[in-house]
Structures are given as structure tokens and as C-alpha cells.
Amino acid sequence: MLNFIVKRLFSGLVVLFFISLVTFIVLMWIPGDPALLSLGTDATPEKLAELRESMGLNLPWYEQYYQWLTGFLVGNLGNSYVFGEDVFTLLVQRLPVTISLAVLSMAIAIPIAIVIGVLSAIYKEQWIDYIARSVMQLGDAMPQFWLALVFLVFFSAGLGWFPVAGFTPVEEGFFASLHSILLPSIVLAIGQIGPLIRIIRSSMLSSLEQDYMLMTSVNGFTKFRSIGKYALRGAIIAPLTIIAMQLAGILGGAVLVESIFALPGLGRLLLMAVEQRDLILLQGIVIFVTGTVVVVNMVTDILYQIVNPMIRFGGSHE
Amino acid sequence: MMNRLLHLENLNVKDTHNHELVKGVSLDLYEHEFVGIVGESGSGKTLSVKAALHLLPNDLGVTFEDSEVLGKSIIDLSDHEKRRLIGSGIGFVPQNTVAFLHPMIKIKHQIGDAFIYHTKANKKEALQKAEELLVKVGIKEPKRVLHSYPVQLSGGMKQRVNIAMALMTDPKVIIADEPTTALDTVVQKQVMQLFNDLYTNDGVSILFISHDLKIVKRFCNRIYVMHEGKVVESGYTSEVFADPTHSYTKKLLRLIPSLKSGRTRRLG
């Protein structure tokens, strides 16, 4: 197990390196001048040159990258051009918002998807299944930015049930904080539910056809018991992957939803960094997001081993 | 008259395309009997037995005139009563080639389920009984097996666990569906001996599905020969083997390798 973790961490580091290199090169090629953006268009050429010099922008890209990389290796992500602050501090400030969003939206999506997915597998080709599949299509088809706007207009502006914008930190009360991110979380959850239902339904269907289900009939168990203990247990592996991917996706910044609801999370920070050509900040965010994906994937692989004895003991499925 | 433990009369099974899979099959199993059902793959052996236990999926068209389990007519029973009767009165030993044991649940968490469910016993009692039965079916380290996942057991071990599991509710009938397929000959012999002991010592009646005529000839006292969804011949094993009447049975019997032919050398 330890061997496995070390291997995964190493390959994760390689991925991080390449991603950081690619982001750096791509951003170098995009037109736009960070110095000009931070000083404004009426800045004198001398001032601009001075700033470029101090920001290290006149160095060739590989030297700039080298500087960034050596800083990163000693734990310094550099300073943001726009905010003038340490990138690490900026990330840590935004993180609670994004994590709360990710956790809450998954906490809404997972139980609903399990109930609908399992029911539609059990009652395959019956009305519950048809409704579930329609819900699934609907969730998939609705664009998130549109749904976010509709919800905002209807529930926040119209009914006044939720704040229109902003995030209340947990320090100001758990429920107040929950209330401030509930609506965006629901919007995010609706986007996640479709794929989740689909994977839960299909793995449940395949589990229901396994031979161990025949044994539960031979043993005379009720449907509830045989599904609750045997079918569900056989159907958890595939959804685990999707859940991990979705979680990593939201942690990587729910750009649209965070922007529309004016939540100060990673997604908005990312957007700002791109708009302002804040290379150092963007580089920091990308590294953080990639790192998160690597770690989430690793945790998923470890979970696989815990959940699935067939992987753990390396046997074959006869 | 001996007690009739299983009875199936004029069973017909059709698939969703209206093809007849089983045509007019009638089967009986009496107390103190070891009955074999032989026939090639696709002859309808397993389907008939599954129909007798009401295990066939609903999309198959199943019709029969009468079906009794342990002396009770199944037609009059509610779903709940059916489940109780079959679940506690009949043990099923499946083919070893597929995953009848849940691959993701430890043996100790599945072996006692039927026992607990039907007798209202607690987990401790179930585990104790499971341990005794595992020893009885020839497992030397029952504790280790109980704490294992199916994937950690060999084919022979898994099949012994299947048999022990079928015995948990002290059934009067054991139905075994090609239980020795995919086992090597030594283990095959041991497993058959086990069935024979259950039959002779514990008075369990056995309905044994197989395509292995040698095994059937040796252990079963009565047989049904099935071919293309029909029972083409039935009777006491010795009589059928001595004087087969149906051409298919005759053909089958000719396939049994005989010592006299001198062709018993191992291949490879």
C-alpha cells in the first residue's frame, strides 16, 4: 500500500510539472501586457519599462519559468500582480468557499442520485424509471449559467429566500454560512445528479443480474434485504469514480456558478487571474487544482482497494 | 407411500420470442432419494429446477399444472410463505464456475444470512453453526475461511462453502446444479462423497443436475434424461442404464468411457 502511494505521488509530481510548464508557455503566448494592465493605459513608457523590469517580464520565458519553479520548490508561489499579495495567502482565503460549495453540492447530489438511481434500476422500464431518466436528461440539458440566473432571479430576487450575492463565513454562524451557499450548491448539484444517476442505475442493473442475487432468492430474502445488503454492495465501485471526478471538478473551481453568485471562491479567482493576465496567480491556481485532482484520484484508488477485495487480494473474477 | 418433497407437473417454459425451452416436463423427488437429471447443455435441466423453486425471471412464460414444495402446493401460497418455505426448506448448491458468493462480502457476513433470517437466531449462533458445518464439509481452518472474501478461496473451498451455506437451515432437500463442474477430479470425488454422506447419514434428499453420466450412475438411485426441453426417459438408474429405451439415452450411454476400451491414458 505504501509503495503504491509513493508511486502515485511521484507520477502526480510529474503531472504537476508538465501542467505548470504548459500553462506558463501558453500564457506567455497570449497577447496582453500585465504591466500595462496594472498601470493603466495612460502610464508613461518609462514607468512601464520600470515595472516590467521589476516584475521580471523582460526575461526570456524559460528564465521566468525557472524563477517561478525554484520559488515553488521552496514553497513560495510568488506574488500576484493584481493583488500584490502572496499567491498562497490568496488561495487559502478562497478555499473555504470552494470547499463548502463542493461538499454541500455533493451532499445534496449523492443521496438523491442514489435513491433515484437505485429505484430506477429496480423498477426498470416502469414509470419510476421513465421519470428518473427524464429528470436525468433535464439535469444534463440545462446549462448551469442559465439555471443559476433563473434561480437567482426567482428565489433570491423574487421570493427573497436567499441572499442575492456573497458568502457568509462559518465564523458568523454555521447556518448563516450554509444559507449563503445553498442556492449555488443546488445549482451545482443539479449538474452533477444526471451522470451520477446514470452510473448508479447501470451498476445497480448489472449487480441485480449477478448470480449472488439468485442466491438471495433461493434463500428467500425479501427484496428489501437482498437489495440493501447484496445488490448495493456490488454496485458501489463505478459511482465512486464519478463522485471523485465531480468533487475534483468543483474543487478546481466552479467558475460560472461562483461568478454569477459573486462567491469569492477559487473559480472567481481563476477568472480574475485570466482576465488580468496575472500569470503568477494563475500558475498558483493551476498547480493547486492539478494537485487536488491528483490527490483526489489517489484517495479514490485507495478507497477502491479498501472497498473491493478483488483488487486488494489480486484474485481473478471467475 | 414416501413423502413427496418436490413435485412439478407439465411444466412449459417459453422465452420472450415464444420459443419453447421446456416442454411438458414433470419431475418428482421423494424422501430418501438421490435423483439425477442428466442431459447436455441447453436441454432444460436448470430451467426446470429453477422453475420448481420459482426462481425464473418474470419475462419468461412459465406455466405448469401443479407445483409442490415439501408437500405444499405452491399455487396457494403467498409470496411471503413461498419465500419462507423454499428459503428454509431447500438448500441450493450452484455451479462453481460463477460468483454465487458475493465477491465483496466476507464469508462470515453471508454464510449465516438465511439461517438468521428464517430462524431468528443471532449472529453468534449462526457463526457457530457455520463453523461446525464448514468442518463437516471438510474445511480444516473454518475460522480463516469465515474471515476471507470468496476471492481468497480456491474453487474447491468455495464449493464447500456453498454446500455448507446450503446446509445452514437444515434443509430436507438439496438441489445441486452441476456442483462439480470446474473442479479437479480429486476435489470432485470429495464433493460427491460429501453429497453421498448427506444422503445416507443425514437423510437429506438430493436432486442432482449433471451432464456427467459416470457420477450419476454411481450415486443416483433414480434419473431423468432430458433432451431438447423434454424428459425423454426416466426411471431407476440401474434399469435405465441396463436397458435404455430412447435413442438419445442410448447415444449418451455410448459416450461413457469404459475401462474395457483401454483408452484411459491421460492426455498430455
Side-chain angles (χ1 to χ4, degrees):
Chain A
M1 185 65 112
L2 193 70
N3 199 4
F4 168 78
I5 294 174
V6 171
K7 257 192 219 161
R8 287 305 300 262
L9 275 178
F10 181 74
S11 70
L13 283 178
V14 174
V15 170
L16 279 185
F17 171 74
F18 277 106
I19 299 264
S20 73
L21 191 62
V22 169
T23 343
F24 211 89
I25 294 173
V26 168
L27 279 154
M28 279 288 171
W29 274 340
I30 302 175
D33 184 351
L36 192 68
L37 275 168
S38 67
L39 285 179
T41 41
D42 47 353
T44 60
E46 293 77 35
K47 279 227 159 135
L48 273 176
E50 207 178 298
L51 186 65
R52 279 204 198 102
E53 175 81 45
S54 74
M55 285 166 94
L57 290 174
N58 45 2
L59 293 170
W61 71 267
Y62 47 85
E63 276 190 40
Q64 289 188 41
Y65 179 70
Y66 177 74
Q67 275 185 3
W68 177 85
L69 189 67
T70 44
F72 171 69
L73 289 179
V74 295
N76 178 13
L77 288 173
N79 277 333
S80 156
Y81 301 152
V82 179
F83 295 91
E85 263 185 275
D86 183 27
V87 169
F88 184 74
T89 318
L90 287 171
L91 283 175
V92 171
Q93 279 171 359
R94 292 338 193 251
L95 215 50
V97 180
T98 301
I99 290 181
S100 324
L101 260 184
V103 171
L104 185 58
S105 63
M106 292 315 283
I108 295 169
I110 293 171
I112 297 177
I114 289 177
V115 171
I116 298 181
V118 168
L119 283 179
S120 71
I122 297 171
Y123 299 104
K124 186 186 161 197
E125 311 279 309
Q126 292 174 40
W127 63 269
I128 290 187
D129 189 26
Y130 292 128
I131 291 176
R133 280 150 79 177
S134 313
V135 168
M136 209 152 78
Q137 297 286 345
L138 209 64
D140 284 356
M142 277 187 294
Q144 232 162 36
F145 69 91
W146 175 80
L147 193 67
L149 287 172
V150 169
F151 272 28
L152 201 59
V153 169
F154 191 71
F155 293 110
S156 299
L159 294 170
W161 289 354
F162 298 98
V164 177
F167 172 70
T168 313
V170 188
E171 293 83 54
E172 291 173 34
F174 177 75
F175 287 105
S177 177
L178 199 71
H179 187 224
S180 72
I181 57 161
L182 188 57
L183 201 58
S185 298
I186 293 173
V187 172
L188 278 175
I190 290 174
Q192 318 291 355
I193 279 178
L196 259 185
I197 293 180
R198 195 168 298 126
I199 191 86
I200 289 170
R201 178 178 181 271
S202 70
S203 33
M204 196 64 192
L205 278 177
S206 99
S207 182
L208 285 171
E209 278 172 12
Q210 296 297 313
D211 295 304
Y212 49 74
M213 292 310 288
L214 183 80
M215 286 312 278
T216 65
S217 310
V218 174
N219 286 332
F221 298 153
T222 56
K223 211 171 177 179
F224 185 76
R225 190 184 171 88
S226 55
I227 286 167
K229 177 163 179 183
Y230 289 84
L232 269 182
R233 191 79 69 99
I236 45 178
I237 299 279
L240 211 60
T241 322
I242 301 290
I243 289 173
M245 280 166 59
Q246 293 185 334
L247 196 66
I250 305 176
L251 282 176
V255 180
L256 283 173
V257 171
E258 284 183 10
S259 298
I260 291 171
F261 288 93
L263 294 171
L266 275 184
R268 252 182 100 214
L269 196 63
L270 182 76
L271 194 65
M272 248 185 265
V274 174
E275 279 171 357
Q276 304 288 329
R277 291 259 297 130
D278 192 337
L279 186 55
I280 299 298
L281 176 57
L282 187 59
Q283 192 75 343
I285 298 173
V286 167
I287 287 294
F288 174 79
V289 170
T290 318
T292 309
V293 173
V294 168
V295 170
V296 168
N297 279 342
M298 198 173 76
V299 171
T300 316
D301 282 344
I302 294 170
L303 272 181
Y304 267 10
Q305 304 220 351
I306 293 171
V307 169
N308 192 348
M310 279 180 284
I311 299 177
R312 200 178 340 152
F313 299 108
S316 61
H317 191 91
E318 275 183 63
Chain B
M1 177 82 189
M2 278 189 297
N3 280 328
R4 192 161 66 182
L5 300 176
L6 273 180
H7 171 62
L8 193 62
E9 203 175 313
N10 198 13
L11 169 78
N12 287 287
V13 180
K14 283 180 186 170
D15 70 6
T16 41
H17 305 291
N18 227 16
H19 294 146
E20 289 188 307
L21 304 173
V22 176
K23 302 164 216 167
V25 166
S26 298
L27 293 172
D28 285 303
L29 176 72
Y30 291 92
E31 218 172 346
H32 301 299
E33 269 199 319
F34 198 138
V35 171
I37 304 180
V38 287
E40 57 199 14
S41 310
S43 59
K45 303 172 299 224
T46 303
L47 272 179
S48 304
V49 169
K50 279 188 182 167
L53 298 183
H54 296 256
L55 292 176
L56 290 182
N58 292 332
D59 49 357
L60 289 178
V62 181
T63 56
F64 48 80
E65 270 166 36
D66 194 14
S67 169
E68 274 177 26
V69 173
L70 306 176
K72 283 184 185 153
S73 178
I74 275 288
I75 303 165
D76 308 330
L77 297 181
S78 69
D79 262 7
H80 173 76
E81 289 168 319
K82 244 188 261 180
R83 278 205 316 269
R84 285 235 158 244
L85 184 66
I86 294 171
S88 63
I90 291 179
F92 186 77
V93 180
Q95 273 190 29
N96 183 50
T97 46
V98 273
F100 282 98
L101 293 167
H102 198 298
M104 291 163 75
I105 299 177
K106 279 187 181 172
I107 303 293
K108 64 172 178 172
H109 294 309
Q110 46 184 328
I111 191 167
D113 259 13
F115 179 64
I116 294 170
Y117 183 69
H118 292 294
T119 64
K120 306 274 175 262
N122 62 33
K123 229 172 173 167
K124 209 176 142 200
E125 292 167 325
L127 277 182
Q128 207 173 351
K129 178 151 192 182
E131 214 176 309
E132 287 166 19
L133 284 173
L134 286 175
V135 172
K136 182 174 177 166
V137 298
I139 284 177
K140 291 187 186 71
E141 301 167 282
K143 283 221 162 65
R144 188 183 71 80
V145 169
L146 283 173
H147 286 88
S148 303
Y149 289 96
V151 70
Q152 293 169 281
L153 305 176
S154 69
M157 295 269 258
K158 258 191 270 187
Q159 197 55 314
R160 286 169 208 268
V161 172
N162 275 327
I163 297 172
M165 200 161 153
L167 291 172
M168 281 298 284
T169 51
D170 298 319
K172 283 190 176 154
V173 177
I174 288 225
I175 295 182
D177 185 1
E178 309 222 14
T180 55
T181 317
L183 295 178
D184 64 62
T185 40
V186 178
V187 182
Q188 205 172 58
K189 239 185 190 163
Q190 292 167 345
V191 168
M192 281 319 296
Q193 198 51 53
L194 204 59
F195 279 116
N196 203 41
D197 289 348
L198 289 173
Y199 163 66
T200 41
N201 304 338
D202 301 282
V204 178
S205 299
I206 294 172
L207 186 60
F208 187 82
I209 304 178
S210 180
H211 57 249
D212 190 334
L213 283 173
K214 251 180 16 184
I215 291 181
V216 169
K217 185 180 178 187
R218 177 148 173 225
F219 292 99
C220 299
N221 33 44
R222 202 157 61 77
I223 64 168
Y224 292 91
V225 181
M226 285 191 71
H227 180 54
E228 291 178 347
K230 280 188 230 163
V231 172
V232 292
E233 188 152 3
S234 63
Y236 290 106
T237 314
S238 51
E239 287 169 16
V240 172
F241 273 76
D243 183 22
T245 52
H246 194 274
S247 60
Y248 176 72
T249 319
K250 285 178 190 164
K251 247 199 268 173
L252 261 188
L253 291 183
R254 276 205 297 276
L255 292 176
I256 302 183
S258 150
L259 281 173
K260 286 176 205 149
S261 69
R263 279 189 166 270
T264 50
R265 267 185 308 126
R266 271 175 185 244
L267 292 171

